[in-house]
Amino acid sequence: MSEVKERPVPIHLSEDEVLNRLPERIGDVILNYRYYPGKDLYSDGTIEDEILAIVKDASKVEYPAIIERKKSWPVLYHLSPLRGNIVDWLPIGRKDKVLEIGSGCGAITEKLAEKAGTVTCVDLSAKRSHINAYRNHDKDNIEIHVGNFSDIEPSLPKDYDYICMIGAFEYGQSYIHTDTPYEDFFKIIKKHIKDKGRIIIAIENKLGLKYWAGCKEDHLGTWFSGLEGYPEGGSARTFTRKGLEKIFLSCGVTEYSFYYPYPDYKFPTMIFSDKRLPNQGELTDNMRNFDRDRLMLFNEKYVFDGIVEDGLFDIFSNSFLAVIGEKLDTSYVKYSNDRAVQYALRTEITDTKEGRVVRKIPLNERAWEHIKEMKRFYNLLEERYRGSGLCINPCELKAAASSETRERGYAEFPYEKGTSLETLLDQCLEKNDMDGFYRLFDRYYELIAYGEGKEITDYDMVFGNILADGDKWTVIDYEWTIEERVPAAEIAFRALYCYVLAEEKRNKLDLGLLMGRLGISEQTAGEYRMKEKRFQKQVTGKRKSMGELRDDIGNCCVSPMMLMELHKKEILNQRIQLYYDQGEGFKEEDSRYIPDIYLDDYKIAVEIPFDGNIRALRIDPADRSCMVKMMELSLNGSPVPLHKRYVETNGKAVKTGCYVFDTQDPNITVWVSALPMTGENILSVKMEITPVPSDMALDVMGAIKKFF
């Protein structure tokens, strides 16, 4: 990391001291303390010192390895390059002035500074602003104002092209202390945007599906608090889409668009819009509880499928990205920057004057070489499959749209209409139409096998990369083409392998039958699986996925159904079942449970009243193998002798009054008819019950048999 210049600023300063130390520079970044109150009013504690040390000592290329090593939510949140995806796709150019409110540790600042002419940041924390400055020290277009937004705002200019509030608008009531803080906050912000400028707000959806499914509310860390309307208060408020629209309209705003970052705005990998909403089966990455434990009340993928089918995604999207101002041409964005640097790119669906197109845009210079290969791959694949009936979506290399942006060139493809082969196969499985499934698969195999002898292969010809529009089948993504001769059976096996792995419901497929159709042995299939693992490591650069990082951080995901079963088992273990024999033996209908009889974890005490018509009482002390020590057994105050004439069990006596049971249905029968009874009787029982593993109980019973 290059040397940076810093003039240390004490954490607590008087006003004169602050004014005498303006401005401070860290590298090329300016920190402005004119409105700093002299101390940080909020902090995440020592973790901020840890992050500050990282950005001082490490370069950005080291961040992914540090994230994996630290296994820490704050380190992941503040340093992950995926954070910048939320603004990376916006058409911010070299001449644009950007205001970022709530810039924090600079994850978004970094991306804005790469794109814009100037970036003005506002943040309350000096510590976080230092982190921001160090991580972006090589940018000469950033100024950070440290202090309360309300104090700084009057000094800000009124000609910004973009104002970004990424995870900041929800704290409006902390900045503005009025009866309508969010409306007033928005009106203040609106004063600083130029004509045809845009305000960008990223915020959690109050009704986001993840909250219904059991994730804790992002700001309070409590379950269902947003859904319940924040009954316990708190500094932040999130909104539904209608709630945000109400604020915009009350402030005189009528031109705005909603985008839907998925899985959420913090680490978005896809961004949908009203012009391009998700398809069924597309929303599969739903385990988003990196920072806290969560419940799992249902499978979010299946619920999202129903929501998408019924056109309700704009209500239950986990996050919103509101663009206030002139509408954008881009309707969909997908990021592939969680893999090796040379393969990091952004895919967009964009409307142009000539029509809708798909663009693949490199996110760095090395990835541009990867993009340029796509044109050559198109030519080679088109030649291989010419005359087969399988179309290859044409690719054209384009220069950057404007010299005013910092974008590189990109690959452009026509936007193809149709239904993915993956969806068609799923529909067959849902209908249990296996003949239809095999017809589609056989056609797929026939098409991809065309020209099999040529040394050009699309290795990633999975079902999701083929669109069917009637009889026209088109390959829409051939990024992973190789100049090698690969058997069609291997490509088809890989497509099936990826297909089944992605969805539990597809396990109904008879893979043995399909492998037989492809002529693939189990040994060959094993070799193909190993090859797939090597391929994935190549693509990811051996970096861990977000799912793996979540597992490393170690927060729990708990099923309430499982908890309920455990609780139910605990309840069952804290009661006894009592049977009454009135001369016809023991029957379930003549039994009852007696709860709340435990004195502690092992000891029970109960008094059982019964009339003179009862022949015997049977006590079932547990629903598992156990040992029972009889501490008291008396009838009407007189001890019951512990021998077989009066007491029988289906266990074995270790010694008098101590029994071991290797059954899940232990029982003790007291023959009360053999004892002196009255009209109304009370059997008093005290016993100690100790659960033991069934194999241990069996061993003890075996030892008793040998001994006796």
Side-chain angles (χ1 to χ4, degrees):
M1 188 169 181
S2 60
E3 184 179 354
V4 298
K5 300 175 183 179
E6 176 186 8
R7 182 142 46 103
V9 175
I11 295 300
H12 302 289
L13 298 174
S14 69
E15 184 176 356
D16 289 340
E17 287 175 317
V18 172
L19 293 174
N20 288 334
R21 290 178 176 267
L22 298 177
E24 176 193 6
R25 281 185 178 271
I26 294 179
D28 292 323
V29 177
I30 299 172
L31 289 105
N32 191 321
Y33 289 92
R34 182 174 298 276
Y35 298 100
Y36 183 54
K39 61 179 180 179
D40 282 0
L41 301 180
Y42 72 93
S43 171
D44 283 343
T46 57
I47 188 63
E48 291 184 358
D49 296 318
E50 183 178 346
I51 294 171
L52 179 58
I54 292 171
V55 298
K56 278 185 174 183
D57 299 334
S59 63
K60 291 175 185 175
V61 296
E62 298 175 271
Y63 289 178
I66 292 171
I67 289 169
E68 291 187 15
R69 187 170 68 250
K70 292 290 186 180
K71 301 178 182 179
S72 160
W73 157 249
V75 173
L76 171 67
Y77 177 72
H78 291 296
L79 298 185
S80 171
L82 273 63
R83 291 284 311 286
N85 290 354
I86 195 67
V87 296
D88 171 79
W89 64 284
L90 295 170
I92 298 172
R94 294 175 187 267
K95 295 182 179 180
D96 288 333
K97 291 175 61 176
V98 177
L99 171 63
E100 183 188 6
I101 300 171
S103 49
C105 294
I108 308 301
T109 309
E110 177 183 338
K111 185 58 64 176
L112 293 174
E114 288 177 8
K115 299 170 70 67
T118 63
V119 180
T120 302
C121 300
V122 177
D123 198 84
L124 190 61
S125 166
K127 179 69 67 65
R128 292 191 176 195
S129 296
H130 270 71
I131 295 171
N132 188 351
Y134 270 106
R135 75 184 294 166
N136 294 306
H137 72 277
D138 56 338
K139 306 287 194 308
D140 62 1
N141 58 347
I142 299 173
E143 180 176 7
I144 304 173
H145 291 264
V146 185
N148 194 299
F149 175 76
S150 298
D151 299 327
I152 296 168
E153 178 270 323
S155 67
L156 297 174
K158 299 182 179 180
D159 61 347
Y160 288 105
D161 298 281
Y162 285 85
I163 297 177
C164 294
M165 290 179 287
I166 311 303
F169 187 68
E170 55 263 46
Y171 293 101
Q173 66 181 9
S174 299
Y175 299 127
I176 310 299
H177 304 290
T178 65
D179 291 337
T180 55
Y182 293 97
E183 289 80 355
D184 296 335
F185 186 28
F186 190 85
K187 288 174 183 176
I188 291 170
I189 294 163
K190 189 181 167 191
K191 293 189 300 184
H192 295 276
I193 198 77
K194 66 164 50 172
D195 289 343
K196 296 191 176 180
R198 296 185 177 99
I199 298 172
I200 310 296
I201 297 175
I203 187 171
E204 296 88 355
N205 176 12
K206 181 179 177 179
L207 297 183
L209 187 66
K210 68 178 184 179
Y211 297 136
W212 299 94
C215 281
K216 294 181 179 179
E217 205 274 343
D218 287 56
H219 307 93
L220 299 182
T222 51
W223 278 296
F224 313 124
S225 48
L227 300 177
E228 294 173 349
Y230 299 97
E232 298 180 3
S235 60
R237 290 290 182 274
T238 56
F239 303 91
T240 63
R241 172 171 172 161
K242 285 192 174 182
L244 287 171
E245 288 179 308
K246 183 178 178 181
I247 293 171
F248 301 158
L249 294 173
S250 71
C251 297
V253 172
T254 57
E255 190 171 21
Y256 56 84
S257 308
F258 271 85
Y259 287 81
Y260 310 101
Y262 176 84
D264 54 33
Y265 81 82
K266 294 181 178 71
F267 301 107
T269 55
M270 292 186 281
I271 301 175
F272 298 95
S273 73
D274 290 322
K275 292 190 292 185
R276 202 301 198 179
L277 291 166
N279 299 312
Q280 284 185 280
E282 198 168 7
L283 307 179
T284 61
D285 186 15
N286 299 302
M287 298 303 292
R288 307 311 291 179
N289 56 309
F290 295 94
D291 55 336
R292 298 182 178 100
D293 298 337
R294 66 162 291 176
L295 301 173
M296 194 166 75
L297 299 173
F298 51 77
N299 188 319
E300 287 158 84
K301 178 196 178 299
Y302 299 144
V303 178
F304 263 134
D305 283 347
I307 284 170
V308 167
E309 183 179 19
D310 290 339
L312 301 173
F313 181 68
D314 62 329
I315 296 175
F316 294 105
S317 171
N318 286 328
S319 294
F320 297 126
L321 181 70
V323 178
I324 294 93
E326 189 175 353
K327 294 185 184 298
L328 300 171
D329 295 328
T330 301
S331 58
Y332 169 79
V333 185
K334 181 177 180 179
Y335 280 91
S336 302
N337 59 337
D338 56 348
R339 53 195 193 183
V341 173
Q342 64 268 32
Y343 305 130
L345 55 87
R346 178 177 85 234
T347 303
E348 294 182 358
I349 297 176
T350 300
D351 292 318
T352 69
K353 293 179 181 178
E354 291 75 29
R356 181 167 284 191
V357 297
V358 178
R359 291 173 176 165
K360 289 186 178 290
I361 301 163
L363 298 179
N364 56 68
E365 285 297 335
R366 292 179 65 188
W368 174 230
E369 297 303 314
H370 181 60
I371 290 287
K372 287 192 290 187
E373 286 285 270
M374 294 182 190
K375 171 64 176 176
R376 192 166 65 85
F377 292 155
Y378 162 68
N379 291 332
L380 292 171
L381 290 170
E382 195 278 331
E383 180 182 351
R384 170 178 169 171
Y385 288 105
R386 191 178 300 153
S388 68
L390 183 65
C391 302
I392 309 298
N393 200 25
C395 172
E396 293 294 335
L397 294 180
K398 300 279 187 176
S402 169
S403 61
E404 294 182 1
T405 71
R406 300 176 191 265
E407 300 286 357
R408 302 163 185 86
Y410 52 87
E412 185 171 283
F413 310 80
Y415 177 78
E416 288 288 332
K417 295 181 179 179
T419 305
S420 74
L421 178 57
E422 181 177 83
T423 299
L424 294 176
L425 292 170
D426 281 345
Q427 290 172 353
C428 290
L429 289 183
E430 288 171 10
K431 299 173 185 175
N432 206 29
D433 178 12
M434 299 312 299
D435 289 339
F437 184 97
Y438 293 132
R439 279 196 299 273
L440 288 170
F441 179 76
D442 289 344
R443 187 181 183 211
Y444 160 83
Y445 185 52
E446 178 186 358
L447 289 173
I448 69 168
Y450 191 87
E452 188 174 17
K454 296 189 177 181
E455 293 193 354
I456 186 71
T457 305
D458 177 5
Y459 190 69
D460 194 33
M461 204 173 275
V462 294
F463 305 141
N465 285 339
I466 297 176
L467 283 187
D469 186 11
D471 291 332
K472 179 185 177 184
W473 286 28
T474 303
V475 179
I476 58 170
D477 192 340
Y478 38 87
E479 180 181 355
W480 303 106
T481 297
I482 54 177
E483 293 182 82
E484 296 178 15
R485 186 183 305 168
V486 179
E490 179 179 344
I491 302 303
F493 173 83
R494 180 177 182 272
L496 281 169
Y497 181 63
C498 295
Y499 177 72
V500 173
L501 278 183
E503 172 57 71
E504 186 177 332
K505 289 183 177 179
R506 297 167 182 163
N507 288 335
K508 67 170 68 175
L509 277 175
D510 187 340
L511 288 181
L513 177 61
L514 287 165
M515 286 168 60
R517 293 170 91 102
L518 296 173
I520 295 174
S521 68
E522 186 53 49
Q523 179 180 348
T524 302
E527 293 171 359
Y528 289 163
R529 292 187 191 100
M530 292 302 298
K531 186 174 180 180
E532 172 65 12
K533 289 181 180 179
R534 293 193 296 271
F535 172 69
Q536 291 299 329
K537 287 183 178 180
Q538 172 195 337
V539 172
T540 62
K542 299 183 180 179
R543 288 167 57 178
K544 290 188 175 182
S545 69
M546 292 297 281
E548 290 172 315
L549 291 174
R550 174 194 170 277
D551 291 340
D552 286 346
I553 290 171
N555 291 305
C556 296
C557 179
V558 180
S559 166
M561 283 70 79
M562 184 180 298
L563 287 178
M564 184 177 70
E565 288 302 317
L566 290 172
H567 183 58
K568 182 179 177 182
K569 186 175 181 180
E570 183 178 340
I571 292 173
L572 291 174
N573 291 336
Q574 295 292 312
R575 65 182 184 177
I576 64 170
Q577 189 172 9
L578 180 66
Y579 290 83
Y580 299 87
D581 178 5
Q582 300 184 65
E584 298 179 357
F586 297 118
K587 297 183 290 185
E588 284 294 326
E589 55 266 33
D590 291 329
S591 73
R592 68 184 179 97
Y593 286 100
I594 307 178
D596 303 323
I597 59 173
Y598 271 76
L599 303 176
D600 57 30
D601 289 343
Y602 299 106
K603 295 177 181 177
I604 72 167
V606 61
E607 292 189 343
I608 304 168
F610 62 94
D611 62 30
N613 297 319
I614 300 299
R615 180 169 171 259
L617 295 171
R618 190 182 106 185
I619 301 168
D620 288 11
D623 294 314
R624 55 190 168 180
S625 54
C626 62
M627 294 189 71
V628 173
K629 181 179 180 180
M630 193 66 70
M631 302 167 67
E632 178 186 334
L633 184 65
S634 62
L635 178 62
N636 300 327
S638 299
V640 175
L642 297 177
H643 52 71
K644 288 187 178 181
R645 180 181 176 187
Y646 306 108
V647 179
E648 288 185 321
T649 77
N650 62 346
K652 288 290 181 181
V654 179
K655 61 180 182 178
T656 302
C658 185
Y659 310 95
V660 60
F661 299 89
D662 69 340
T663 174
Q664 302 299 306
D665 186 29
N667 57 70
I668 300 169
T669 299
V670 181
W671 295 99
V672 293
S673 60
L675 296 166
M677 291 194 298
T678 63
E680 293 293 334
N681 304 280
I682 294 180
L683 183 70
S684 297
V685 181
K686 287 184 181 179
M687 63 177 75
E688 185 173 342
I689 303 169
T690 305
V692 295
S694 57
D695 54 348
M696 183 182 295
L698 191 62
D699 289 344
V700 172
M701 292 184 72
I704 293 170
K705 288 179 181 178
K706 289 180 182 178
F707 185 80
F708 288 104

